[in-house]
Amino acid sequence: MNLIQRPRRLRGSETLRKMVRETRMDKSSLIYPLFVMEGTNIQEEIPSMEGQFRYSIDRLPYKLEQLAKAGVGSVMLFGIPDHKDEVGSGAYATDGIVQKALREAKKQFPDLYYVTDVCMCEYTSHGHCGVLCGHDVDNDKTLDLLAKTALSHVEAGADMVAPSDMMDGRVAAIRACLDENGHNTTPIMSYAVKYASAFYGPFRDAAGSAPAFGDRRSYQMDFHNRREGMKEALTDIEEGADIIMVKPALSYLDMVSEISKAVNVPVAAYSVSGEYAMVKAAAKMGWIDEERIIGEMAVGAYRAGAQIYITYFAEEIAKLMDEGRIG
Ligand code: PBG
């Protein structure tokens, strides 16, 4: 056959395949989500997220050390408070769980990079991401509390804040509050393109943050919508977001791709708890090759255009990269 185009030529050996690889992963772009809780000497496995744990503050250093050793330099902290109330006061308390964990972690591992999730749902008795007015979340009243939460995180040592509540105007509110308090160099990574998704199920088990009534569809986005995702991303950039996140990752790579082409800020993809749980469950059944699936999911996010990948598999990915098994 007289074929001019033979794409297989570049697939002939591992060396060549690696040479022409279009997407390369780098550990420095991984962020590992971590759950901290009150109490002492607790490392509790999350039933729906095998291999993921809730840590009391005194047990956190062991995990941070493992991550640092594996080369995962960034974590994202989620707090599980003992006490919840109508207004989520634990979210912005000086001695709130995230604030205390940050002070301790920063002391022991100052070189790690600490991102915090800014939201109210883990702290409100009703499990919604803001304060209520009747059965609806009151957008504008929530903004002050989110800004207060972000400020309290930064004052406790957070290097970056990541609002995940999906209230309108939260990036502007947080930016203004941080700036007024002398933190104009602290970046905001906005969960801008966050869909109302069943993929968050295991996280809500982990954090005890499922809404007591109703759902989050009046603030998180309808997953049928693509253009609306772009509107959220552009709005948040106008409000001062430094990084835009798309969440979940797996079923939303079209959004990662489109947004990364349209904006000039870094784009992060968050591979959420349900994605992790599906891989773990299928692997346990012996139905998939876990290691290869982890690699494909991660590379898929980067290939779509993500520059940052937030994943519960961060440590495994880093180790597999060291061993040259994925990359
Ligand atoms: C808080 C928040 C959630 C997640 C990140 N921040 C839960 C939710 O919106 O219900 C989900 C993360 C995951 O599923 O891994 N609002």
Side-chain angles (χ1 to χ4, degrees):
M1 271 281 257
N2 186 17
L3 284 180
I4 293 172
Q5 293 295 341
R6 286 189 184 271
R8 289 185 55 191
R9 277 188 210 112
L10 295 181
R11 298 178 200 142
S13 75
E14 184 64 4
T15 306
L16 184 54
R17 285 192 292 271
K18 280 194 172 154
M19 184 195 295
V20 300
R21 209 166 245 185
E22 296 175 44
T23 307
R24 295 173 200 274
M25 295 201 290
D26 188 323
K27 286 183 199 178
S28 56
S29 64
L30 295 169
I31 301 181
Y32 180 69
L34 201 47
F35 299 96
V36 274
M37 63 185 289
E38 298 282 1
T40 50
N41 202 24
I42 302 171
Q43 179 178 335
E44 198 171 83
E45 191 163 39
I46 299 159
S48 50
M49 299 177 74
E50 222 168 77
Q52 301 300 313
F53 299 83
R54 306 181 189 100
Y55 299 90
S56 55
I57 294 174
D58 58 325
R59 293 291 289 268
L60 204 52
Y62 301 103
K63 186 66 205 172
L64 295 175
E65 189 171 12
Q66 279 174 3
L67 289 164
K69 268 197 192 134
V72 177
S74 306
V75 294
M76 174 134 86
L77 289 181
F78 292 93
I80 305 167
D82 266 354
H83 166 77
K84 299 181 190 237
D85 58 30
E86 282 281 302
V87 291
S89 53
Y92 39 87
T94 316
D95 63 347
I97 178 68
V98 165
Q99 293 80 353
K100 285 191 292 190
L102 272 169
R103 280 190 214 100
E104 196 52 37
K106 277 288 241 194
K107 219 185 291 165
Q108 301 207 31
F109 293 92
D111 294 337
L112 283 176
Y113 194 83
Y114 298 90
V115 185
T116 57
D117 181 87
V118 175
C119 195
M120 319 267 315
C121 61
E122 296 105 300
Y123 304 90
T124 50
S125 42
H126 43 76
H128 278 287
C129 299
V131 284
L132 295 181
C133 177
H135 268 191
D136 199 20
V137 176
D138 187 323
N139 192 87
D140 298 9
K141 274 199 193 128
T142 301
L143 295 182
D144 277 349
L145 302 182
L146 292 167
K148 249 169 103 168
T149 302
L151 179 61
S152 71
H153 289 178
V154 174
E155 285 175 344
D159 297 301
M160 181 189 287
V161 288
S164 69
D165 51 282
M166 288 302 277
M167 297 303 119
D168 294 334
R170 82 280 177 68
V171 174
I174 291 172
R175 185 73 274 157
C177 176
L178 293 182
D179 290 1
E180 274 161 27
N181 288 278
H183 301 292
N184 60 10
T185 58
T186 305
I188 299 174
M189 171 161 66
S190 176
Y191 284 71
V193 190
K194 177 173 176 176
Y195 289 91
S197 169
F199 280 101
Y200 310 148
F203 174 95
R204 293 179 190 169
D205 281 350
S209 65
F213 62 87
D215 53 44
R216 305 212 200 289
R217 283 183 287 184
S218 73
Y219 40 103
Q220 299 180 350
M221 272 195 311
D222 181 348
F223 61 83
H224 301 78
N225 297 350
R226 187 171 49 82
R227 295 193 309 153
E228 189 189 8
M230 185 61 71
K231 173 174 154 188
E232 283 284 2
L234 296 177
T235 305
D236 283 7
I237 292 170
E238 268 171 33
E239 289 182 27
D242 300 282
I243 298 173
I244 291 295
M245 188 202 297
V246 175
K247 176 188 174 205
L250 201 54
S251 300
Y252 299 86
L253 294 183
D254 56 331
M255 298 310 300
V256 173
S257 170
E258 196 160 332
I259 286 165
S260 67
K261 280 182 221 141
V263 305
N264 58 5
V265 302
V267 173
Y270 190 157
S271 179
V272 298
S273 56
E275 302 178 40
Y276 178 86
M278 291 196 305
V279 174
K280 281 294 184 189
K284 200 171 166 186
M285 296 300 284
W287 291 343
I288 56 163
D289 180 333
E290 179 174 352
E291 188 177 303
R292 290 178 54 202
I293 295 269
I294 293 173
E296 277 183 51
M297 283 169 64
V299 169
Y302 289 108
R303 191 186 61 236
Q307 276 136 292
I308 297 167
Y309 188 49
I310 304 161
T311 172
Y312 301 95
F313 285 120
E315 197 178 338
E316 281 88 342
I317 291 175
K319 286 180 184 160
L320 291 169
M321 284 167 77
D322 283 342
E323 292 165 15
R325 299 161 81 89
I326 62 175

